[in-house]
Amino acid sequence: MAKKTVSEFVIERVKEWGVSRVFGFPGDGIGELDGVLGVLDGKGDGLEYIRPTHEEICAFLATAHAKFTGEVGVCIATSSPGAFHLINGLYDAQMDNVPVVAIVGQQGLDALGTFTQQESNLELVFADVAAYVKTIVSPQQAQAVIDTAFRTARTRLQPTVIILPHDVQAMEAAEPSAAHWVSRSSSVPASTRIAPVREELEKAAAVINAGSKVTLLVGAGARGATDQVLELAHKTGAGIITALRGKDVVPSDIPFHTQQVGLLGSLPSLKQMQGCDTLIMLGTNYPYGEFMPATGQARAVQVDLKPEQLGVRYPTEVNLWGDVGATLDGLLPLLTQQSDLSWQQRIADQFTDWEREMRADAMVGFPDGANPRRVFFELNERLPENAIVTADAGTTADWYGHHIRLRRGMRGDLSGRLASMLAAMPYAVAAKFAYPERPVVCTIGDGAFQMLGMNELITVKKYQHKWPNRQFIVVVMHNDDLAQVSWEMRTEDGNPVWTGSQDVESVDYAGYTELLGFKGIRLKSDDDAGEAWDAAFRHQGVTLIDAYVTRNAPPLPAKITKEYRNNTLKALVKGDPLRVGAIVDSAEALGAEALQRAKNVLHLGGADEGQRE
């Protein structure tokens, strides 16, 4: 019987931790492990090996896989250059509290510290991004290192890194002995369904029961607790705001769910924050303090599995360290039923008016390209049940926040706190691998698509035969501009756009798609938007919609502050090369909103006057 190598043991142990899919890119530094993965993948023994076009994509795929499935994501890369490429995706996992294990190659043990080719201090390199990073230096140590990496990733919701020297990979595996300095570890995960003690729950209940205008701020950390969150809202008469990554935690058809708050949020969400007397934060690390209640305005309770993130965003009165679902199971029986639902009804009425404004914004015509909001509005009108939608961190995140409404069973996600530009495509690909029977839509800007998105259509071409439902749709917002940064230059810094840095070279994205054998659709006017989406959803395959949209559509916040207005004016006065288009398109957008808001107030029973200047 052939002897088992350390690499074979590593793969077996990874499977014991419940991993079904790994994302890797080969190289001689991880060659032995690559070989084992190749054999296993060919046998179809339950561990699927996906090889995209770049190591950075491997890490984003692993992060997205963990987000969409709840499993630990696993990515694999070779020594120095391959390992370095993982870092961006691992920071995405770190900042969004996602369990990912990276397995990276290293030169042989005798080469460490001798300045040989591709030998670097990987433990030092990964020390900031990883909650645990360790080099396996002997067969008997392998078990404990692997188990600790997976257990740490799961319980601390963070990335960890296993470094595997080339010569150790090929060594004969050894069962850990009952000896001094040798650890015999367990591959049994620890439960994270923890809840605070009753005394702490009673403190929280006292705060909540005293409130009459309660708002829930719900993040991705509340995923799996949708029913408890809704029961909490019904019991307290609360309105609900979701953080952007928590958008799919609360169904969009809940009338008092006002979607997001902040630069890409809604006016009713902002009014909730300005008017609530009690704030309950559930599984969120929402970072924008200027959109939170004023200090002293609201009593606050926070629930989170990450204890270091309790009480850092707002002066909370009670901090509950625990899983959101388990904590609410204990808290709900302690709450009294709110009989006055006027606060909740007011919120629902305001959001009805806001949705009319969003429709009005989407119907604005611009002289220099299609309205990007129209593209997202028409997508939302046609989203099929169980659809999954991803977005990048540019202006597509604004349109995603303003116009996409995820009903129960739908999923959506993006790079959150890191806000990495290129995540939309690997997120969509990971979602399709995780749920091959479901339609997936990737919304992405042309700048992000040129980063690594175009490459990943090659990955889609390579693996689409594995998907029983091959419907995979990409919409590229083709405006030849890094639009989010362009608007930030104006609104945050008062500087005109510098086209030398902001222009994106125009590419026939639909034509590129057709070269790969996929369906390409060119969307060049607002009137094309509905039919483009209809054609895409009729096609049972891969489709790319090349949406030629204006670069000047303003991503308007719910409330335009004096600073926002003055900085924009400064930028235009200084000689912004796009000032004519920016002025015309902004005026069109603001005019449409003002008209709709007036209709809401005067004719449709609007709940409040507007707040945009």
Side-chain angles (χ1 to χ4, degrees), residues 180-422:
H180 193 52
W181 293 336
V182 176
S183 292
R184 291 168 287 166
S185 62
S186 165
S187 60
V188 177
S191 173
T192 56
R193 190 170 169 77
I194 59 176
V197 297
R198 184 178 176 86
E199 180 183 358
E200 294 300 307
L201 294 173
E202 289 173 346
K203 290 179 183 178
V207 171
I208 297 168
N209 286 333
S212 60
K213 298 178 179 179
V214 180
T215 285
L216 312 183
L217 179 57
V218 181
R223 185 162 288 118
T226 298
D227 291 338
Q228 293 99 317
V229 170
L230 294 179
E231 185 179 350
L232 176 64
H234 286 299
K235 202 159 192 177
T236 59
I240 301 176
I241 299 169
T242 47
L244 193 59
R245 285 205 56 239
K247 190 178 184 74
D248 60 359
V249 175
V250 178
S252 61
D253 56 3
I254 301 301
F256 43 85
H257 171 202
T258 59
Q259 298 290 315
Q260 287 69 67
V261 67
L263 294 175
L264 41 66
S266 72
L267 185 59
S269 291
L270 180 62
K271 289 181 176 180
Q272 277 201 72
M273 284 297 195
Q274 292 173 337
C276 69
D277 62 20
T278 308
L279 177 65
I280 307 174
M281 300 171 65
L282 301 170
T284 180
N285 188 30
Y286 180 78
Y288 301 110
E290 68 270 33
F291 299 106
M292 301 285 275
T295 301
Q297 169 197 319
R299 303 178 72 183
V301 173
Q302 186 173 359
V303 182
D304 210 291
L305 262 177
K306 300 287 291 180
E308 66 273 22
Q309 293 176 6
L310 289 166
V312 299
R313 299 301 183 198
Y314 189 78
T316 46
E317 192 169 332
V318 182
N319 291 314
L320 300 176
W321 180 14
D323 167 74
V324 171
T327 300
L328 291 184
D329 284 343
L331 179 63
L332 285 165
L334 305 178
L335 300 178
T336 56
Q337 179 64 53
Q338 173 65 261
S339 58
D340 181 0
L341 300 181
S342 58
W343 165 254
Q344 194 177 74
Q345 185 59 54
R346 180 185 181 191
I347 289 165
D349 292 342
Q350 289 174 346
F351 193 68
T352 297
D353 288 349
W354 176 258
E355 289 292 71
R356 294 191 186 103
E357 288 189 31
M358 289 299 93
R359 182 185 179 89
D361 281 351
M363 296 303 154
V364 173
F366 295 120
D368 50 354
N371 184 345
R373 290 180 178 272
R374 180 69 175 271
V375 176
F376 276 72
F377 176 85
E378 299 293 351
L379 165 60
N380 187 65
E381 292 288 290
R382 293 160 173 80
L383 273 179
E385 297 301 320
N386 293 321
I388 302 173
V389 184
T390 67
D392 70 36
T395 50
T396 60
D398 293 270
W399 319 136
Y400 171 79
H402 281 159
H403 296 282
I404 298 301
R405 303 291 179 255
L406 300 173
R407 304 185 297 276
R408 188 181 281 267
M410 294 180 178
R411 294 294 305 272
D413 221 325
L414 74 172
S415 174
R417 194 156 63 95
L418 181 64
S420 181
M421 266 181 72
L422 58 83

Side-chain angles (χ1 to χ4, degrees), residues 296-607:
Q297 169 197 319
R299 303 178 72 183
V301 173
Q302 186 173 359
V303 182
D304 210 291
L305 262 177
K306 300 287 291 180
E308 66 273 22
Q309 293 176 6
L310 289 166
V312 299
R313 299 301 183 198
Y314 189 78
T316 46
E317 192 169 332
V318 182
N319 291 314
L320 300 176
W321 180 14
D323 167 74
V324 171
T327 300
L328 291 184
D329 284 343
L331 179 63
L332 285 165
L334 305 178
L335 300 178
T336 56
Q337 179 64 53
Q338 173 65 261
S339 58
D340 181 0
L341 300 181
S342 58
W343 165 254
Q344 194 177 74
Q345 185 59 54
R346 180 185 181 191
I347 289 165
D349 292 342
Q350 289 174 346
F351 193 68
T352 297
D353 288 349
W354 176 258
E355 289 292 71
R356 294 191 186 103
E357 288 189 31
M358 289 299 93
R359 182 185 179 89
D361 281 351
M363 296 303 154
V364 173
F366 295 120
D368 50 354
N371 184 345
R373 290 180 178 272
R374 180 69 175 271
V375 176
F376 276 72
F377 176 85
E378 299 293 351
L379 165 60
N380 187 65
E381 292 288 290
R382 293 160 173 80
L383 273 179
E385 297 301 320
N386 293 321
I388 302 173
V389 184
T390 67
D392 70 36
T395 50
T396 60
D398 293 270
W399 319 136
Y400 171 79
H402 281 159
H403 296 282
I404 298 301
R405 303 291 179 255
L406 300 173
R407 304 185 297 276
R408 188 181 281 267
M410 294 180 178
R411 294 294 305 272
D413 221 325
L414 74 172
S415 174
R417 194 156 63 95
L418 181 64
S420 181
M421 266 181 72
L422 58 83
M425 269 295 281
Y427 272 45
V429 174
K432 194 64 179 178
F433 279 120
Y435 303 102
E437 73 287 353
R438 296 172 68 168
V440 173
V441 180
C442 170
T443 67
I444 190 168
D446 50 3
F449 192 61
Q450 286 189 14
M451 276 185 164
L452 289 172
M454 296 177 75
N455 292 26
E456 282 316 286
L457 277 183
I458 300 172
T459 301
V460 170
K461 181 177 176 63
K462 178 179 180 181
Y463 290 105
Q464 61 173 328
H465 68 278
K466 291 176 171 278
W467 303 333
N469 173 358
R470 297 190 183 181
Q471 195 167 74
F472 183 92
I473 303 172
V474 181
V475 59
V476 179
M477 308 307 285
H478 188 162
N479 57 14
D480 302 331
D481 184 32
L482 300 176
Q484 184 77 6
V485 179
S486 293
W487 279 102
E488 287 171 348
M489 291 171 72
R490 297 179 181 118
T491 62
E492 294 181 11
D493 303 319
N495 288 325
V497 167
W498 176 35
T499 56
S501 72
Q502 296 308 107
D503 284 357
V504 174
E505 185 66 23
S506 189
V507 173
D508 181 2
Y509 300 110
Y512 170 75
T513 302
E514 291 161 351
L515 286 175
L516 294 173
F518 301 144
K519 182 179 180 67
I521 299 174
R522 294 166 179 84
L523 189 168
K524 294 195 172 183
S525 74
D526 293 333
D527 292 339
D528 296 338
E531 174 52 33
W533 285 113
D534 287 338
F537 282 118
R538 282 195 301 266
H539 180 56
Q540 293 304 305
V542 179
T543 305
L544 183 140
I545 298 175
D546 191 354
Y548 290 76
V549 297
T550 176
R551 70 194 298 176
N552 295 313
L556 295 171
K559 176 177 175 131
I560 295 178
T561 63
K562 186 179 294 186
E563 179 184 27
Y564 184 105
R565 180 194 62 198
N566 290 345
N567 283 341
T568 304
L569 290 173
K570 280 182 194 176
L572 299 178
V573 168
K574 287 179 182 178
D576 192 303
L578 305 173
R579 60 187 176 278
V580 174
I583 291 170
V584 170
D585 289 2
S586 295
E588 291 280 358
L590 286 168
E593 282 195 353
L595 178 60
Q596 183 59 52
R597 197 161 289 177
K599 289 180 179 179
N600 288 342
V601 173
L602 297 175
H603 305 298
L604 300 174

Side-chain angles (χ1 to χ4, degrees), residues 159-179:
T160 60
V161 178
I162 298 167
I163 301 169
L164 197 55
H166 190 272
D167 51 353
V168 176
Q169 296 169 36
M171 290 179 183
E172 182 180 344
E175 184 70 25
S177 59

